[in-house]
Amino acid sequence: MPSSGPSTPTSGRRPTLVTVAHAAGVSRATASRVLSGSTSVDASMAAAVWRAARELRYETNKAAQSLRSGRTGSIALVAAASELDQGIGGTFTAAPVRGATKVLIEAQIQPVLLLVDGADPGRVAHYLRRGHVDGAIVILQHEITFLLDELRDLDLPLVYVGRPADPQPSHPVVDCDNAEGARLATRALLEAGRRRLVMIAGPSDIGSGEDRVTGFREEHEAWGLTPGRIARGEFTLATGAAAMARLLRHDPAIDGVFASSDLMAVGAVRVLHGAGRTVPDDVSVVGFDDTVVAATCDPPLTSVRQPLEEMGRTAARLLVDGAAAAGAVVPVLSTSLTTRESV
């Protein structure tokens, strides 16, 4: 049964869709349908939602309403332009774009791909502010973290795929359990008998990358071992190779490598081969993402699979359902390990 009604908040924090749904005693999806004008909701539930919205002084997001009514009928998919240099089909970006596009097309919404580079950092934010689209999905990578400040106060429904380093991001975030994925990778190396482990981590301005460092350390501690040395790259093949070279100079006897992306793992494998170390006979290597490059590497890479396509679908559903409000509760998706020939 709907609740008898909330009291007006005094904390000064702006109420969210989740707040209204909780106060009305209904689900977030039901509250979203009512506030976006749906007439298919039970009358008593609808009345409870409107009452809660009034008493909480909830301001319906006009941009979200326009998305539901199809003001422009399009959603932006924002990604790093550098992905084209890698061949977008084999990178982190491809699967979230594919998943989001499927949901948007089913909802008769046109996806619009916006590519970002550092040459004109204000261009995409300006485009989004001018009302050309009804919402945006930002596939967050190190190359475009400069957008975070520009998008912080954007009056447009927006969802990130991948977690910013900001502990309180201004928009909903769809992410996987990166720490658990890193524990799976580290465990696979330790179970293979490797003990001189190192990690090639991503840049510190991506929260998901820092979670992977945490998982690497936690799994060592669970085994009663001291975590190995960590070098950083930028989720690219070249920076993975450079980090592997630095690690080898410090300890030529390394026997296990966890790389925080598949591209960095491929770079690491090439450096190991160049140094006369074979994979997996001398050194075991595990990547992260389970993209096409992991399956086509020589040898094929064991890699942590994050559900990238599902992450894109989840982000698109948040927008289509009108639930992409600050404070929205978004599930953390699970990871798994795809075992191949590099361990």
Side-chain angles (χ1 to χ4, degrees):
M1 292 294 291
S3 65
S4 58
S7 58
T8 301
T10 58
S11 65
R13 298 185 67 181
R14 186 165 59 183
T16 68
L17 180 65
V18 175
T19 312
V20 173
H22 179 75
V26 301
S27 69
R28 184 182 61 202
T30 297
S32 173
R33 288 198 299 273
V34 172
L35 295 173
S36 61
S38 173
T39 58
S40 63
V41 179
D42 176 82
S44 64
M45 288 185 175
V49 171
W50 285 116
R51 182 168 60 252
R54 285 194 304 271
E55 295 182 5
L56 289 167
R57 296 175 185 161
Y58 174 76
E59 295 180 8
T60 304
N61 189 316
K62 293 180 180 179
Q65 283 185 326
S66 69
L67 187 151
R68 297 285 297 178
S69 61
R71 180 171 59 85
T72 72
S74 59
I75 294 292
L77 302 176
V78 182
S82 59
E83 288 292 270
L84 295 181
D85 298 333
Q86 306 288 350
I88 195 168
T91 64
F92 172 86
T93 295
V97 166
R98 184 166 56 246
T101 297
K102 288 177 181 177
V103 171
L104 296 177
I105 289 175
E106 287 173 1
Q108 298 184 319
I109 295 171
Q110 178 63 39
V112 176
L113 182 62
L114 299 181
L115 297 175
V116 187
D117 63 27
D120 187 7
R123 176 179 54 85
V124 167
H126 180 69
Y127 181 91
L128 294 175
R129 288 193 185 96
R130 289 181 62 85
H132 296 300
V133 294
D134 297 321
I137 296 169
V138 179
I139 302 169
L140 190 62
Q141 293 179 276
H142 168 64
E143 295 91 333
I144 61 173
T145 51
F146 62 80
L147 273 179
L148 292 170
D149 286 339
E150 297 197 41
L151 300 181
R152 190 174 305 280
D153 298 319
L154 187 70
D155 187 21
L156 186 77
L158 184 149
V159 180
Y160 291 113
V161 174
R163 186 169 65 80
D166 187 346
Q168 293 184 314
S170 54
H171 298 282
V173 174
V174 177
D175 206 359
C176 70
D177 191 340
N178 288 280
E180 175 58 22
R183 288 192 290 269
L184 290 173
T186 308
R187 191 178 308 149
L189 293 167
L190 292 171
E191 288 178 345
R194 307 304 189 178
R195 290 296 181 271
R196 300 177 78 96
L197 271 58
V198 294
M199 178 180 181
I200 302 176
S204 59
D205 59 357
I206 298 288
S208 53
E210 291 304 278
D211 290 344
R212 294 172 198 178
V213 172
T214 296
F216 176 73
R217 289 172 172 160
E218 287 177 345
E219 191 63 23
H220 274 87
E221 290 164 5
W223 285 62
L225 301 171
T226 301
R229 182 173 287 266
I230 297 172
R232 291 191 181 271
E234 296 183 358
F235 297 128
T236 64
L237 190 151
T239 60
M244 188 72 256
R246 293 196 302 272
L247 291 165
L248 273 178
R249 284 195 296 272
H250 181 265
D251 182 6
I254 290 166
D255 64 4
V257 179
F258 167 42
S260 199
S261 78
D262 289 337
L263 283 172
M264 292 199 298
V266 172
V269 169
R270 291 182 181 180
V271 169
L272 288 166
H273 285 168
R277 310 293 303 283
T278 60
V279 177
D281 292 341
D282 299 325
V283 186
S284 294
V285 179
V286 179
F288 203 109
D289 293 334
D290 197 24
T291 55
V292 172
V293 296
T296 56
C297 180
D298 181 22
L301 277 173
T302 292
S303 182
V304 177
R305 182 186 180 276
Q306 54 176 329
L308 294 171
E309 188 164 330
E310 177 59 24
M311 289 160 69
R313 287 196 297 268
T314 301
R317 289 192 195 105
L318 283 169
L319 289 171
V320 171
D321 293 343
V329 178
V330 182
V332 177
L333 304 180
S334 298
T335 57
S336 59
L337 190 70
T338 301
T339 302
R340 296 190 180 93
E341 299 170 27
S342 63
V343 175

